[in-house]
């Protein structure tokens, strides 16, 4: 489509089916320690 | 809910509730903006009027348009408007545009589940060999006395973690301070104990270490490379910036001592599984220069984050600083695109975003886990919801020997999530910050169920830049 290009994105709704296992890292354990960032974290099921 | 913005030449449409990202041309951008609130005829009329003007006509691409030579411009424009409208309608039907927020009940149910502890922040030392001006830990001592964690307390903390982790396999332990390397023997002994225990209980410990680098030597590096899955190396960037805020106790700067050590460790770790991590303040609002400086020193994993400080501190970030900080984030994003094209790319922690994978929606909306899945342990074994609450006894949860005793407080943290915060409900960035930091909220508003407004503005900007970088990457 010349007007709209969709980036390769996971539809969040899909993740309701398989998500919530809780094996992922806690958000403060990576680098931040003073904010809360989850969008950049990895899913352990990947 | 849709969030639209223009950044660095890209028109970006984020469908907030599905997380789908669309890069669109001007015509589609304008049509999407009107789509939900206006009738089709009205949208067509507005578009025809706007895009038939000479200054907008050039924005309509007719190069690959069939029969362009036999049709007049207005005819082509009208067909293209219809083409976009039909595509937008289809996207809505497919669930990639204008999707509804269907998660509130799902998250409330998810939050009710029985939780396990999966991570501890061990305050190995309430003491520090630097005297950083902005330290939230009161120069390492958390407004209390100097204290080092004993092996016995650390061991009890690991036992507490194992006993309260249920079926969770991966357990995380951060060696934090103060400066944890001032108590390195205990760090080593606890890792050894953890490795013994993981075999017995079918667990896997992932240890992390946050250090200011002063005591980082070959022995520590060898140990870290073998046992520590992520090392956070504190440095603010340029020498004058770093040394102003991160002096030693005798007033000398730390830059010259730590830089060669950090470079050596980063190389030993093949430029992975570490961060050089800095803080920017009102005194170095041009922090993009500090990130560039760190990148020029060869570091590939960089995080430079805004200071969180009481308003009265002279180095605190103010509302008036925000426009300049936004410019800096934009400059940094452009710099990263250039560096990527040159084959000299690096990661900036706050611009890392995984669109095709990344966390599930439960993770994204359920909060950071402080007080339930994540707790901090003081040198004498007290439990707090996170490292930033240590020292405020109103937030004492219990201790590693008797476990959590303040159930009411724990429940408050457990229920805190995106939907318990009014400001988050309408925010497009809620899927990327999970409702923000409870400590920041408490420090600015006296409750964990609000949001630190300056932090939110900066977070939104970073999400916009991070998505723009993905759009640029897709184009390369």
């Amino acid at each position: 489509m010349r007007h709209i290009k969709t980036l390769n994105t996971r539809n969040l709704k899909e993740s309701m089916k398989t998500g919530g296992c809780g094996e992922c890292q806690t958000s403060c354990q990576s680098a931040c320690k003073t904010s809360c960032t989850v969008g950049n974290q990895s899913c352990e099921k990947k | 809910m849709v969030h639209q913005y223009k950044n660095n030449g890209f028109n970006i449409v984020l469908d907030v509730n599905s997380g789908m990202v669309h890069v669109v041309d001007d015509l589609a951008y304008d049509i999407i903006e009107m789509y939900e609130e206006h009738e089709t005829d009205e949208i067509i009329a507005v578009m025809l009027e706007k895009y038939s003007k000479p200054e907008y006509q050039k924005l309509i691409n007719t190069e690959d348009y069939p029969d362009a030579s036999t049709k007049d411009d207005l005819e082509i424009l009208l067909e293209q408007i219809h083409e976009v409208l039909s595509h937008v309608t289809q996207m809505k039907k497919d669930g990639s545009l204008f999707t509804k927020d269907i998660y509130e009940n799902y998250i409330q149910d998810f939050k009710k589940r029985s939780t396990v502890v999966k991570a501890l922040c061990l305050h190995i030392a309430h003491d520090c060999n630097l005297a950083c001006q902005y330290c939230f830990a009161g120069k390492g001592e958390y407004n209390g006395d100097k204290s080092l964690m004993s092996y016995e307390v650390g061991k009890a903390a690991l036992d507490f973690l194992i006993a309260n982790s249920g079926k969770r396999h991966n357990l995380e332990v951060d060696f934090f301070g103060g400066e944890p390397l001032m108590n390195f023997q205990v760090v080593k002994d606890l890792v050894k104990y953890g490795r013994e225990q993981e075999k017995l209980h079918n667990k896997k410990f992932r240890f992390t270490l946050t250090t200011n680098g002063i005591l980082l030597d070959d022995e520590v590096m060898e140990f870290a490379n073998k046992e520590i899955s992520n090392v956070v190396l504190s440095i603010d960037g340029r020498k004058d910036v770093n040394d102003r805020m991160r002096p030693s106790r005798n007033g000398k700067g730390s830059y010259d001592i730590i830089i060669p050590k950090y470079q050596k460790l980063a190389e030993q770790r093949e430029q992975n599984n570490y961060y050089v991590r800095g803080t920017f303040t009102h005194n170095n609002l041009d922090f993009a220069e500090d990130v560039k400086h760190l990148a020029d020193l060869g570091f590939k994993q960089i995080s430079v984050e805004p200071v969180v400080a009481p308003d009265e501190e002279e180095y605190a970030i103010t509302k008036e600083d925000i426009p300049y900080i936004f410019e800096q984030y934009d400059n940094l994003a452009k710099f990263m695109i250039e560096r990527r094209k040159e084959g000299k790319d690096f990661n900036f922690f706050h611009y890392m975003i995984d669109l095709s994978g990344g966390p599930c929606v439960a993770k994204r909306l359920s909060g950071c886990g402080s007080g339930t899945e994540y707790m901090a342990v003081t040198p004498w074994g007290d439990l707090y919801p996170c490292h930033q609450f240590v020292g405020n006894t109103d937030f004492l949860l219990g201790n590693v020997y008797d476990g959590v005793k303040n159930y009411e407080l724990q429940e408050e943290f457990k229920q805190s999530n995106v939907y318990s915060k009014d400001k988050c409900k309408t925010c497009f960035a809620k899927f990327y910050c999970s409702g923000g930091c409870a400590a920041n909220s408490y420090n600015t508003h006296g409750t964990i169920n609000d949001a630190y407004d300056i932090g939110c503005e900066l977070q939104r900007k970073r999400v916009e830049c991070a998505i723009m970088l993905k759009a640029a990457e897709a184009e390369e």
Side-chain angles (χ1 to χ4, degrees):
Chain A
M1 202 315 178
R2 85 194 88 202
H3 303 283
I4 300 173
K5 188 175 149 196
T6 299
L7 299 186
N8 178 19
T9 325
R10 174 197 203 185
N11 193 316
L12 292 176
K13 209 161 50 169
E14 295 299 310
S15 73
M16 285 169 81
K17 293 174 196 158
T18 54
C21 74
E23 283 293 334
C24 50
Q25 197 182 36
T26 49
S27 60
C28 248
Q29 211 72 347
S30 37
C32 52
K33 293 282 183 195
T34 55
S35 62
C36 181
T37 310
V38 297
N40 60 5
Q41 293 190 344
S42 305
C43 174
E44 295 286 339
K45 283 187 176 175
K46 258 172 77 178
Chain B
M1 183 181 180
V2 158
H3 176 65
Q4 297 184 232
Y5 64 99
K6 299 187 179 197
N7 188 304
N8 197 26
F10 294 94
N11 297 342
I12 293 169
V13 176
L14 168 65
D15 184 55
V16 175
N17 294 315
S18 69
M20 303 297 282
V21 177
H22 312 288
V23 183
V24 305
D25 68 4
D26 289 274
L27 180 65
Y29 190 88
D30 288 343
I31 289 176
I32 291 169
E33 201 164 33
M34 290 185 75
Y35 189 84
E36 287 288 80
E37 303 294 328
H38 300 269
E39 296 297 326
T40 306
D41 290 349
E42 201 184 335
I43 298 172
I44 293 171
V46 172
M47 295 304 132
L48 277 176
E49 197 196 336
K50 176 172 176 180
Y51 286 93
S52 56
K53 287 179 185 163
E55 67 266 36
Y56 290 107
Q57 237 171 8
K58 62 179 183 295
L59 297 174
I60 302 292
N61 176 17
T62 55
E63 272 174 24
D64 60 344
Y65 200 80
D67 310 325
S69 54
T70 60
K71 292 179 178 171
D72 66 35
D73 287 348
L74 209 59
E75 214 175 336
I76 292 174
L77 175 58
L78 189 62
E79 280 184 24
Q80 298 214 19
I81 293 169
H82 280 293
E83 192 179 310
V84 173
L85 279 167
S86 124
H87 199 75
V88 168
T89 306
Q90 190 58 45
M91 288 164 77
K92 184 175 174 179
K93 214 178 279 177
D94 296 343
S96 65
L97 199 59
F98 304 116
T99 51
K100 302 281 176 232
D101 185 342
I102 54 164
Y103 308 117
E104 184 160 0
N105 291 336
Y106 170 72
I107 294 302
Q108 306 298 11
D109 288 347
F110 183 71
K111 293 292 285 186
K112 281 181 203 150
R113 79 201 191 285
S114 143
T115 49
V116 297
V117 186
K118 61 188 196 181
L120 289 181
C121 178
L122 297 189
H123 289 221
I124 289 295
H126 273 193
D127 193 1
C128 193
N129 41 18
L130 290 184
C132 303
Q133 302 297 306
Y134 46 56
C135 185
F136 68 79
K139 312 283 184 286
E141 293 148 33
Y142 290 82
N143 305 315
D145 296 328
K146 286 184 182 176
S147 182
L148 300 181
M149 182 178 281
S150 67
Y151 174 61
E152 286 66 33
V153 168
K155 199 163 150 286
L158 297 188
D159 291 341
F160 166 82
L161 177 56
I162 292 167
N164 289 279
S165 61
K167 289 179 181 166
R168 159 107 179 175
H169 180 66
N170 295 314
L171 304 179
E172 292 154 22
V173 173
D174 190 21
F175 296 114
F176 199 64
E179 172 48 46
L181 293 184
M182 291 178 83
N183 196 11
F184 182 48
Q185 188 59 47
V186 167
V187 172
K188 286 194 293 187
D189 292 346
L190 289 177
V191 167
K192 185 165 177 277
Y193 179 71
R195 295 289 177 235
E196 289 163 9
Q197 294 304 303
E198 62 188 7
K199 288 178 204 136
L200 300 174
H201 299 278
N202 187 30
K203 303 285 181 185
K204 172 73 187 161
F205 277 108
R206 286 194 291 214
F207 294 106
T208 58
L209 172 73
T210 302
T211 177
N212 63 28
I214 298 294
L215 296 174
L216 195 60
D217 59 16
D218 286 343
E219 187 200 349
V220 175
M221 289 190 212
E222 192 185 336
F223 169 80
N225 294 337
K226 186 168 169 239
E227 298 286 4
I228 304 290
S229 59
N230 186 33
V231 185
V232 180
L233 305 165
S234 301
I235 178 167
D236 287 350
R238 292 163 292 179
K239 181 176 161 65
D240 60 322
V241 169
N242 182 79
D243 287 353
R244 177 173 179 178
M245 293 306 273
R246 304 185 63 80
S248 61
R249 297 265 168 174
N250 64 16
K252 283 188 182 165
S254 53
Y255 181 95
D256 290 335
I257 302 169
I258 59 179
I259 280 290
K261 298 177 182 192
Y262 287 180
Q263 286 174 314
K264 187 173 176 182
L265 185 68
E267 280 306 314
Q268 286 177 347
R269 295 174 81 86
E270 297 175 346
Q271 293 294 341
N272 279 313
N273 303 316
Y274 79 94
Y275 280 100
V276 282
R277 196 271 189 215
T279 299
F280 72 86
T281 73
H282 181 73
N283 296 329
N284 65 313
L285 291 173
D286 60 342
F287 67 93
E289 297 306 315
D290 293 291
V291 179
K292 290 176 190 175
H293 178 77
L294 293 169
D296 287 340
L297 287 171
F299 295 111
K300 298 275 188 195
Q301 312 296 338
I302 302 171
S303 184
V304 175
E305 312 188 14
V307 72
V308 177
D311 287 345
E312 58 272 19
E313 295 290 354
E314 50 86 25
Y315 56 80
I317 287 169
T318 66
K319 275 185 197 158
E320 291 69 36
D321 294 335
I322 290 175
Y324 187 78
I325 295 174
F326 280 11
E327 275 177 37
Q328 290 290 303
Y329 277 127
D330 284 334
N331 292 344
L332 175 59
K334 286 177 196 166
F335 176 72
M336 288 179 72
I337 293 172
E338 282 166 33
R339 291 283 293 232
R340 193 161 60 201
K341 285 178 184 164
E342 291 165 11
K344 293 194 289 181
D345 57 333
F346 63 92
N347 285 324
F348 180 63
F349 179 69
H350 275 152
Y351 285 173
M352 288 162 66
I353 197 163
D354 186 353
L355 295 178
S356 58
C360 60
V361 76
K363 167 77 176 176
R364 286 171 186 264
L365 294 176
S366 59
C368 73
S370 61
T372 53
E373 295 180 326
Y374 172 80
M375 293 177 205
V377 184
T378 66
W380 49 95
D382 280 349
L383 291 167
Y384 282 86
C386 86
H387 52 288
Q388 289 209 65
F389 288 105
V390 168
N392 182 344
T393 49
D394 290 347
F395 286 91
L396 180 61
L397 278 171
N399 65 60
V400 291
Y401 298 104
D402 305 320
V404 171
K405 293 291 169 205
N406 192 341
Y407 301 112
E408 202 181 322
L409 179 66
Q410 187 174 45
E411 191 60 22
E412 195 185 336
F413 275 86
K414 189 175 175 183
Q415 292 309 324
S416 180
N417 69 86
V418 160
Y419 296 103
S420 66
K421 304 176 183 191
D422 283 340
K423 284 175 189 166
C424 300
K425 285 179 184 166
T426 52
C427 175
F428 78 85
K430 63 187 167 194
F431 291 90
Y432 305 91
C433 77
S434 201
C437 169
N440 292 352
S441 167
Y442 177 78
N443 291 335
T444 44
H445 298 291
T447 165
I448 63 166
N449 281 313
D450 205 314
Y452 164 50
D453 307 84
I454 291 176
C456 291
E457 291 225 39
L458 302 185
Q459 172 79 329
R460 282 189 283 269
K461 180 65 184 174
R462 292 193 296 258
V463 170
E464 287 189 348
C465 288
I467 292 175
M468 184 280 287
L469 283 168
K470 288 289 175 193
E473 197 181 321
E475 208 182 51
E476 281 164 21

